[in-house]
């Protein structure tokens, strides 16, 4: 039977344990999370009196622990995204100035053991080697989302998953139709499918636009599902000449990695050499080497055992994420984004079927796919949009998801061949489409900037200074008692000042 009224604050209400809750020891924070999940006001993802059992809220307020984790993770990604933007600009400058000869010489310089099939160019080491670190972090993110994040609950995961799947299918379809209509190469159909979360957040950092945590979480979930789709596509469609012996060796190495990890064996000196061996075997097998990084990331344990302050996955991600965002991805961008740009090249982006398909896929396909998927899922399910947001916010995030960079550049090389003219043209199209998506998303976000700022300020406000945002404590009696004491102290001080001012007015006649 549906309750007619929410219980008063002093009556306990059972609620599920918060996801990814912070360590125990802060009673107010724990109480705030419980209250936030069970009795948050309308528009923040909480039940209302009669709608609770029937409706769920799309883009509602995150649990406190999830919000804290998201803020820490995205802070690193934002810095990494800024470095990524700088690396991409530097690559374009080097490739289109008098330094282009030196740039190409460094990019194409080969080194490594030939006997192990690892004599690769600098660009290939960045693509197959350093980018594995990026996919390792992506694997950890995916595992965490499945175990403790937004993808854990099928009901909460439905909308972002539908949005992400539509955001991959529509761009691929637009590319295929555009390329087929113009007699182009269909091998690049997967290029416009992925969202680059670091680049998107870098754009946000440059524009100075703040998003509420729910929108950032939605963008991150889209990117995680995109990464999963890209991993599957790379493994299935862009692997050739499979060596079963090397692949079996890589699988055996992964099994050893899993066994040691789940037996509690510690020490980087054990796992780093093993990871290098697994990566080398995966590279030799013909399956793209970055798949090894994803597999190892998915094997890490995300749960906390007795006596642990944090899970191994969270600890390792905390150590490796700065390496991925601050070194691996920017270096990859430095050697992958350096394409010659000229008037004819830019004109070709909008006239050749392959490049036009990439631009339209990123700009129109991602926007229509993500927005349309979210709207359709909300329309035909029991979900409703957070009342403090508007569908214009979802449209802005959908447009922002059209910034495809790291994975799109990688698939361009895998689809058309590293160093080929068509691969370079596809890269130019990725840069163009991502730039247009960034500009359009920036305009849409600016139109809602004032509303976003007010939401973020409300999320961050902590008037009682206990380290927990007030919105997570508004149904906690102890919070209101603390606030009453604060206001009473302020009122007493103002009464004292009024008495002083009144006495000053009586005794002071002013200047003679």
């Amino acid at each position: 039977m549906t309750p007619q009224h929410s219980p008063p604050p002093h009556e306990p209400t059972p609620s599920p344990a918060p996801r990814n809750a912070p360590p125990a020891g802060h009673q107010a924070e724990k109480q705030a999370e419980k209250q936030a999940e069970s009795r948050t006001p309308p528009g923040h993802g909480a039940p209302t009196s009669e709608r609770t059992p029937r409706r769920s809220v799309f883009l509602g307020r995150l649990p406190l622990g999830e919000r804290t984790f998201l803020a820490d993770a995205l802070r690193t990604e934002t810095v990494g995204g800024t470095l990524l933007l700088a690396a991409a600009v530097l690559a374009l400058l080097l490739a289109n100035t008098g330094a282009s000869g030196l740039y190409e010489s460094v990019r194409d310089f080969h080194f490594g053991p030939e006997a192990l099939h690892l004599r690769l160019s600098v660009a290939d080491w960045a693509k197959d080697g350093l980018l594995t670190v990026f996919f390792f972090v992506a694997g950890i993110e995916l595992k965490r989302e499945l175990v403790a994040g937004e993808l854990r609950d099928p009901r909460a995961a439905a909308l972002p998953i539908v949005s992400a799947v539509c955001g991959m299918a529509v761009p691929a379809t637009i590319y295929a139709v555009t390329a087929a209509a113009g007699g182009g190469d269909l091998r690049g159909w997967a290029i416009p499918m992925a969202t680059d979360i670091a680049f998107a957040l870098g754009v946000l950092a440059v524009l100075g636009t703040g998003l509420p945590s729910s929108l950032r979480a939605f963008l991150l979930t889209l990117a995680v599902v995109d990464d999963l789709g890209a991993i599957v596509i790379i493994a299935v469609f862009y692997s050739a000449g499979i060596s079963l012996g090397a692949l079996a060796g890589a699988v055996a190495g992964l099994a050893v990695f899993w066994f040691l990890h789940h037996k509690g064996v510690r020490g980087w000196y054990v796992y780093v050499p093993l990871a290098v061996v697994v990566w080398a075997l995966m590279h030799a097998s013909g399956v793209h080497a970055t798949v090894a990084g994803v597999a190892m990331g998915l094997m890490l344990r995300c749960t906390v055992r007795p006596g642990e302050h944090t899970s191994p996955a969270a600890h390792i991600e905390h150590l490796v994420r700065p390496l991925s965002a601050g070194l691996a991805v920017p270096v990859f961008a430095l050697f992958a984004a350096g394409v010659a740009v000229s008037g004819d090249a830019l004109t070709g982006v909008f006239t050749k079927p392959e490049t036009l398909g990439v631009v339209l896929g990123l700009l129109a396909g991602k926007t229509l796919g993500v927005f349309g998927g979210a709207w359709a899922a909300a329309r035909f399910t029991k979900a409703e949009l957070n009342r403090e947001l508007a569908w214009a916010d979802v449209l802005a995030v959908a447009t922002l998801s059209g910034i495809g960079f790291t994975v799109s550049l990688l698939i361009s090389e895998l689809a058309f061949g590293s160093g080929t003219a068509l691969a370079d043209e596809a890269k130019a199209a990725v840069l163009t489409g991502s730039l247009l998506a960034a500009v359009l998303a920036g305009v849409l976000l600016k139109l809602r900037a004032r509303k976003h700022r007010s939401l973020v300020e409300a999320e961050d406000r902590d008037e009682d200074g206990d380290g927990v945002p007030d919105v997570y404590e508004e149904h906690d009696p102890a919070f209101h008692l603390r606030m009453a004491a604060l206001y009473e102290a302020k009122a007493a001080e103002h009464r004292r000042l009024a008495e002083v001012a009144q006495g000053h007015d009586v005794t002071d006649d002013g200047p003679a």
Side-chain angles (χ1 to χ4, degrees):
M1 181 175 179
T2 303
Q4 296 302 311
H5 300 283
S6 298
H10 63 273
E11 296 179 9
T13 301
S15 63
R19 294 172 293 178
N20 192 39
H26 199 307
Q27 187 63 31
E29 182 171 340
K30 291 162 62 180
Q31 176 71 12
E33 286 196 36
K34 293 179 181 179
Q35 301 293 350
E37 288 196 353
S38 60
R39 292 179 298 182
T40 308
H44 286 288
T48 58
S49 58
E50 295 200 14
R51 297 151 64 107
T52 302
R54 303 196 304 269
R55 306 289 289 179
S56 61
V57 176
F58 174 45
L59 297 178
R61 182 194 301 161
L62 298 178
L64 181 58
E66 187 76 10
R67 180 180 181 272
T68 302
F69 177 89
L70 179 72
D72 292 340
L74 295 187
R75 190 175 299 112
T76 302
E77 291 286 5
T78 301
V79 174
T82 305
L83 293 175
L84 177 61
L85 288 171
V89 171
L90 179 60
L92 289 171
L93 290 175
L94 292 175
N96 292 276
T97 60
S100 59
L102 176 62
Y103 172 76
E104 292 172 1
S105 298
V106 173
R107 183 188 61 190
D108 299 333
F109 178 76
H110 284 66
F111 66 97
E114 181 69 41
L116 299 177
H117 305 285
L118 291 176
R119 186 168 181 80
L120 307 175
S121 68
V122 171
D124 286 336
W125 276 110
K127 177 184 68 176
D128 296 341
L130 286 177
L131 211 55
T132 302
V133 179
F134 165 80
F135 277 97
F136 175 69
V137 174
I140 298 176
E141 289 177 342
L142 177 60
K143 177 68 173 289
R144 184 195 162 278
E145 288 288 325
L146 292 170
V147 172
E150 291 297 313
L151 302 182
R152 183 189 67 173
D153 182 358
R155 292 175 300 176
L159 265 74
I161 288 179
V162 170
S163 298
V165 171
C166 293
M168 291 186 287
V170 175
T173 301
I174 288 179
Y175 176 93
V177 170
T178 304
D185 195 327
L186 294 178
R187 290 178 296 171
W189 59 274
I191 295 174
M193 290 177 62
T195 297
D196 194 307
I197 184 66
F199 208 147
L201 292 173
V203 169
L204 287 179
V206 172
L207 293 177
T209 303
L211 281 180
S213 58
S214 58
L215 289 173
R216 288 177 177 265
F218 180 56
L219 181 61
L220 178 60
T221 303
L222 287 175
V224 169
V225 179
D226 275 358
D227 287 341
L228 174 61
I231 292 159
V232 174
I233 288 169
I234 289 171
V236 174
F237 295 100
Y238 294 107
S239 297
I242 304 298
S243 171
L244 295 180
L247 183 59
V251 172
L254 290 171
V256 172
F257 184 96
W258 179 89
F259 178 79
L260 294 176
H261 177 66
H262 284 267
K263 286 298 180 181
V265 176
R266 297 173 180 262
W268 64 268
Y269 47 83
V270 174
Y271 293 102
V272 171
L274 178 59
V276 172
V277 171
V278 171
W279 173 84
L281 288 170
M282 190 69 73
H283 185 275
S285 72
V287 177
H288 199 268
T290 54
V291 175
V294 176
M296 288 183 281
L298 287 170
M299 289 180 177
L300 296 182
R301 176 168 56 85
C302 290
T303 55
V304 179
R305 292 177 177 174
E308 294 180 337
H309 294 291
T310 185
S311 68
H315 176 68
I316 294 172
E317 182 182 13
H318 178 73
L319 296 175
V320 178
R321 184 185 288 276
L323 177 64
S324 169
L327 177 66
V329 175
V331 171
F332 167 75
L334 179 62
F335 293 108
V339 295
V341 177
S342 63
D344 293 338
L346 292 176
T347 302
V349 165
F350 297 98
T351 56
K352 294 185 177 180
E354 298 91 350
T355 52
L356 182 60
V358 170
V359 172
L360 292 178
L362 288 172
L363 185 60
K366 294 294 291 186
T367 302
L368 294 175
V370 171
F371 180 82
W375 183 87
R379 173 67 177 80
F380 297 107
T381 65
K382 296 180 179 180
E384 62 182 359
L385 184 66
N386 183 347
R387 292 183 180 181
E388 290 191 343
L389 298 174
W391 283 108
D393 300 310
V394 182
L395 180 63
V397 173
T399 306
L400 197 63
S401 72
I403 300 177
F405 192 78
T406 305
V407 177
S408 295
L409 293 178
L410 174 62
I411 295 179
S412 296
E413 294 193 353
L414 297 177
F416 301 130
S418 180
T420 63
L422 189 53
D424 287 343
E425 292 169 353
K427 290 180 183 180
V430 169
L431 296 174
T432 303
S434 297
L435 177 61
L436 293 175
V439 171
L440 180 57
V443 172
L444 294 175
L445 289 169
K446 285 295 184 184
L447 293 176
R448 295 279 294 173
R450 179 176 299 178
K451 180 64 174 179
H452 292 166
R453 280 195 299 270
S454 66
L455 292 176
V456 172
E457 289 171 359
E459 287 182 356
D460 293 338
R461 187 176 298 115
D462 181 20
E463 289 191 59
D464 61 342
D466 67 342
V468 180
D470 295 340
V471 292
Y472 290 95
E473 299 183 294
E474 54 196 8
H475 292 288
D476 181 7
F479 164 72
H480 293 289
L481 291 175
R482 290 194 301 272
M483 292 303 300
L486 287 174
Y487 283 122
E488 287 169 1
K490 290 181 179 179
E493 176 63 14
H494 281 291
R495 281 193 291 269
R496 186 188 68 81
L497 293 175
E499 292 173 357
V500 171
Q502 186 177 22
H504 179 75
D505 289 341
V506 171
T507 58
D508 187 0
D509 295 330

